[in-house]
Amino acid sequence: MKPPPFEYFRASNPEEAVAALGAHGGNAKLIAGGQSLMPMLNFRLLEPELLIDISKIASLKRIEKGSSGRWVIGAGVRHRDILVSEVLGNSYPILRAAMTHVAHVAIRNRGTIGGSLAHGDPAAEWPMLALLLDAEIEVLGRSGQRMIEAKDFFLGALHTSLSEDEIILAIHLPPAPVAWGFFETARRAGDFALAGAGVLLETQNGKISEARIALLGLGETPIRVYDAEAKLEGENLNSTNRAAAMEAAKAACQPMTDLHASAEFRVHLAGIMTGRSLDAAWGQAIC
Amino acid sequence: MLNRRTITLNVNGEAHELEVEPRHLLADALREGLGLTGTHIGCEHGVCGACTILLDGESIRSCLLLAVQAEGHEITTVEGLGDSNHLNFLQQKFREHHALQCGFCTPGMLMTATELLNQRTSLTERDIRDALSGNLCRCTGYDHIIAAISEAIAETSGAGP
Ligand SMILES: Cc1cc2nc3c(=O)[nH]c(=O)nc-3n(C[C@H](O)[C@H](O)[C@H](O)COP(=O)(O)OP(=O)(O)OC[C@H]3O[C@@H](n4cnc5c(N)ncnc54)[C@H](O)[C@@H]3O)c2cc1C
Ligand code: FES
Ligand code: FES
């Protein structure tokens, strides 16, 4: 179908976008890459009065090193930009690997981080990466600027803690373990994942000093498997703790049955993806 | 008619003025506003790839971009590649390898492949298949399309086939 009628306004900075959002009280929508919003408009799932185009705002496109070793990535940075960023590839190699799973080239050429986070699809890569990397999300609204931790940001499927008048400005990434594993299963290359897992490991003297495990596509939000993480610390990766982590991942998820896969199969995948990601991360950490 | 406005689109090296509503998709503006019906429309939600065009040299879905958003950008459609009397290099490869049957997917395939070709790097068959994963073809079974693109890339990237 074709989109319903709406007005269009091109914002030249975030403040203008916030003012326009505020003035329309819930009847306006931001459009960044449009790769999630346009399908919804074409299906007429939404009928906003106004679209506020933020895709030309230069300040949302920065990738820079902030204070205390954090990287700040603007909300308007596209999936494509991450794939080609050397600096981010060095500090967070998992990002690049994960981006190859986000849709297809033509979608990655438009879709943005901010749009992905705000859309809050539990099967999408960015929400899970934000949770895995302990990211903070910087937002601006009429009442000012605030930082939201990723763990408090995703409230449910397509539901986040953003207020109606807020725009995401950037995602802040603190330093994180570099050794990574990322696996997902999708029906075809570029489709949304049925299930996926990401792992980050830090080692000291051959033992795991920090472990992080997160899942996507396995519940209403992305999921961190905190219990399994704590149990791996201070140990080598071995068949016993690997199996325990896989079980913990399976227990942490609450997937749904749909056209593409049963809940049972997704739980099975949660274990397998976690195991493979642990192996990959461990292999890197000890070499 | 709500809020019509006049915009300028740069398509295949030429500036065109046209009147659109904000809700008009770029794909429709190209087809109906400018008569450039080479850009096809299948699904209108980004899945089939038939509407793929180049925006500043990068492939995008013209069903997921509003015409008003395309102002100030360089748009290339399949009509910008060649015509029936003068196929360009890639179109010629498609012809030689029988890479089309009904032709519905072909404009999108060509535009996706044009972006690949312009990167001038050698690619494995796997890379090419991955890059084409967002373009659906119901006729050919893909093999002939992959063969055409592989040969085109091999001949332009300087690497052997
Ligand atoms: C065929 C297809 C396959 C896809 N496959 C995948 C996949 O496998 N994995 C995946 O992760 N994604 C996938 N996507 C979605 C894609 O990654 C989108 O780019 C992304 O979800 C949204 O980013 P966007 O910039 O396009 O946002 P838009 O579509 O412009 O906006 C999405 C939502 O976010 C809001 N928004 C946008 N920017 C901001 C901001 N700065 N602050 C506050 N709110 C904002 C909008 O108002 C809207 O509600 C797919 C899309 C398509 C069409
Ligand atoms: S019509 Fe645009 S992707 Fe199918
Ligand atoms: S040639 Fe018919 S869809 Fe591809």
Side-chain angles (χ1 to χ4, degrees):
Chain A
M1 283 199 296
K2 309 295 179 191
F6 45 72
E7 300 278 339
Y8 171 82
F9 167 65
R10 194 178 292 150
S12 42
N13 55 53
E15 291 74 17
E16 266 183 24
V18 169
L21 279 175
H24 281 77
N27 292 317
K29 269 280 175 195
L30 300 174
I31 179 164
Q35 303 302 292
S36 295
L37 188 65
M38 286 305 302
M40 294 176 86
L41 289 172
N42 287 353
F43 281 127
R44 302 211 172 187
L45 296 173
L46 295 173
E47 293 199 26
E49 277 169 13
L50 175 71
L51 280 197
I52 305 164
D53 190 352
I54 56 171
S55 66
K56 302 243 164 56
I57 301 180
S59 67
L60 297 182
K61 296 185 181 161
R62 68 206 158 114
I63 298 182
E64 60 193 28
K65 192 130 192 188
S67 54
S68 57
R70 291 164 148 237
W71 279 92
V72 182
I73 312 177
V77 170
R78 302 169 304 163
H79 311 318
R80 176 206 175 92
D81 303 321
I82 301 289
L83 269 172
V84 300
S85 165
E86 290 266 334
V87 284
L88 291 178
N90 293 335
S91 300
Y92 310 97
I94 193 172
L95 290 182
R96 207 183 262 181
M99 284 309 105
T100 64
H101 293 272
V102 179
H104 315 284
V105 181
I107 314 279
R108 296 198 290 263
N109 281 344
R110 292 286 304 168
T112 66
I113 298 179
S116 228
L117 295 172
H119 190 57
D121 188 321
E125 283 75 8
W126 272 114
M128 183 272 241
L129 291 166
L131 193 64
L132 183 71
L133 291 164
D134 288 332
E136 283 191 280
I137 296 158
E138 181 187 355
V139 309
L140 178 72
R142 275 181 300 179
S143 52
Q145 210 152 324
R146 63 179 178 128
M147 297 290 272
I148 309 170
E149 287 184 39
K151 67 177 169 51
D152 302 323
F153 188 79
F154 303 103
L155 303 180
L158 311 188
H159 180 35
T160 70
S161 55
L162 275 180
S163 306
E164 257 167 30
D165 66 342
E166 281 180 324
I167 175 176
I168 300 176
L169 297 178
I171 175 171
H172 292 237
L173 304 180
V178 179
W180 62 275
F182 182 95
F183 281 91
E184 65 171 57
T185 304
R187 297 286 296 267
R188 296 178 314 145
D191 280 6
F192 274 104
L194 299 178
V199 167
L200 295 175
L201 291 180
E202 186 84 65
T203 50
Q204 256 171 23
N205 309 321
K207 307 272 188 219
I208 295 170
S209 55
E210 182 179 357
R212 298 191 202 171
I213 304 174
L215 308 174
L216 63 89
L218 288 159
E220 294 276 294
T221 62
I223 297 163
R224 269 288 282 273
V225 194
Y226 293 108
D227 327 342
E229 296 177 2
K231 288 191 189 127
L232 287 165
E233 286 166 20
E235 302 195 11
N236 302 324
L237 185 70
N238 56 47
S239 57
T240 315
N241 59 23
R242 181 183 185 277
M246 285 170 63
E247 284 312 311
K250 286 160 76 170
C253 56
Q254 295 160 328
M256 296 205 313
T257 292
D258 64 15
L259 200 61
H260 306 293
S262 66
E264 197 187 0
F265 180 54
R266 284 177 207 252
V267 170
H268 169 74
L269 287 176
I272 305 288
M273 298 297 109
T274 300
R276 287 185 191 165
S277 297
L278 276 169
D279 293 340
W282 177 247
Q284 287 173 20
I286 56 172
C287 77
Chain B
M1 288 293 150
L2 185 88
N3 189 27
R4 290 184 81 91
R5 50 175 88 192
T6 304
I7 60 169
T8 305
L9 293 182
N10 298 316
V11 187
N12 303 326
E14 268 181 56
H16 299 268
E17 264 199 7
L18 71 167
E19 215 184 73
V20 295
E21 288 177 53
R23 72 190 187 98
H24 283 162
L25 305 176
L26 177 60
D28 289 319
L30 291 169
R31 290 175 57 83
E32 281 161 35
L34 302 180
L36 295 172
T37 53
T39 299
H40 292 168
I41 299 179
C43 65
E44 293 180 333
H45 60 279
V47 174
C48 74
C51 69
T52 306
I53 57 143
L54 301 184
L55 191 76
D56 301 328
E58 295 173 355
S59 64
I60 63 131
R61 302 294 203 225
S62 61
C63 72
L64 300 185
L65 188 73
L66 298 167
V68 288
Q69 293 182 288
E71 270 196 298
H73 295 279
E74 286 298 328
I75 296 162
T76 313
T77 67
V78 70
E79 288 88 349
L81 300 187
D83 60 46
S84 44
N85 296 318
H86 310 90
L87 298 181
N88 83 354
F89 173 70
L90 184 64
Q91 289 170 315
Q92 191 60 41
K93 291 291 174 205
F94 268 56
R95 179 179 181 168
E96 284 163 18
H97 287 270
H98 306 287
L100 57 145
Q101 290 180 25
C102 79
F104 188 80
C105 69
T106 313
M109 291 285 179
L110 286 167
M111 300 323 285
T112 301
T114 298
E115 184 186 31
L116 274 188
L117 207 59
N118 288 344
Q119 292 167 358
R120 306 221 170 261
T121 47
S122 63
L123 296 172
T124 63
E125 185 191 314
R126 180 63 208 251
D127 296 333
I128 297 171
R129 283 187 185 272
D130 261 2
L132 285 188
S133 65
N135 291 79
L136 302 184
C137 175
R138 295 292 82 152
C139 302
T140 63
Y142 301 99
D143 283 357
H144 295 281
I145 299 174
I146 305 292
I149 298 173
S150 299
E151 192 172 284
I153 289 180
E155 286 180 17
T156 51
S157 69

